[in-house]
Amino acid sequence: MPPLHLFLVCYLLTVAVETAVLLLALSRRHSIARRLFAGVWLTACTYPVVWYVIPAFIDSVEDRLWYLLVAEAFAPLAECLIFWAAFVWGRSTDRRATLRDMAAIVLANLASFGVGELLNRVGVLS
């Protein structure tokens, strides 16, 4: 299990990256305050699962690819569902805006994954 300080540093980095993407990419129907909240809240909902729950089921270093597939599919899917349930369901029929919101969440997750992988490769997160 990774140390708590590394979890916190990586969580804050993830929040920073994903919030920046959500600020720019979520549809205009969402206020700046909601975009900021989503950047923190969505990550708070999924990050502990990605860091502590999924690795408990995938315990081999050789299974890193399997872990990445599961974790990086889980996070955006769960965040899209949470966001939709909290901010879209029953409130809007604008499908185009909803698709943009879901794409923004997926893009935010891909961006944070990419930044994390880059920092891991250069040894910053080791």
Side-chain angles (χ1 to χ4, degrees), residues 109-119:
N109 276 271
L110 288 171
S112 66
F113 170 74
V115 168
E117 285 297 297
L118 177 66
L119 293 176

Side-chain angles (χ1 to χ4, degrees), residues 23-42:
L23 277 169
L24 295 171
L26 283 173
S27 65
R28 292 183 181 175
R29 66 182 168 178
H30 304 291
S31 67
I32 297 297
R34 180 175 288 171
R35 295 172 197 211
L36 290 170
F37 175 73
V40 175
W41 181 56
L42 294 174

Side-chain angles (χ1 to χ4, degrees), residues 50 54 66-79 106 109:
V50 168
I54 295 172
W66 179 240
Y67 163 77
L68 289 175
L69 289 171
V70 172
E72 296 305 321
F74 163 77
L77 178 61
E79 290 179 19
V106 171
N109 276 271

Side-chain angles (χ1 to χ4, degrees), residues 22-115:
L22 295 178
L23 277 169
L24 295 171
L26 283 173
S27 65
R28 292 183 181 175
R29 66 182 168 178
H30 304 291
S31 67
I32 297 297
R34 180 175 288 171
R35 295 172 197 211
L36 290 170
F37 175 73
V40 175
W41 181 56
L42 294 174
T43 301
C45 291
T46 60
Y47 210 72
V49 175
V50 168
W51 266 73
Y52 294 116
V53 176
I54 295 172
F57 294 99
I58 304 171
D59 52 343
S60 169
V61 173
E62 292 82 32
D63 291 335
R64 178 165 162 65
L65 179 59
W66 179 240
Y67 163 77
L68 289 175
L69 289 171
V70 172
E72 296 305 321
F74 163 77
L77 178 61
E79 290 179 19
C80 284
L81 289 171
I82 292 166
F83 187 88
W84 178 80
F87 302 120
V88 178
W89 182 39
R91 293 183 179 92
S92 175
T93 57
D94 186 349
R95 280 195 165 142
R96 189 175 200 166
T98 300
L99 288 174
R100 178 180 174 146
D101 293 339
M102 300 305 114
I105 292 167
V106 171
L107 181 62
N109 276 271
L110 288 171
S112 66
F113 170 74
V115 168

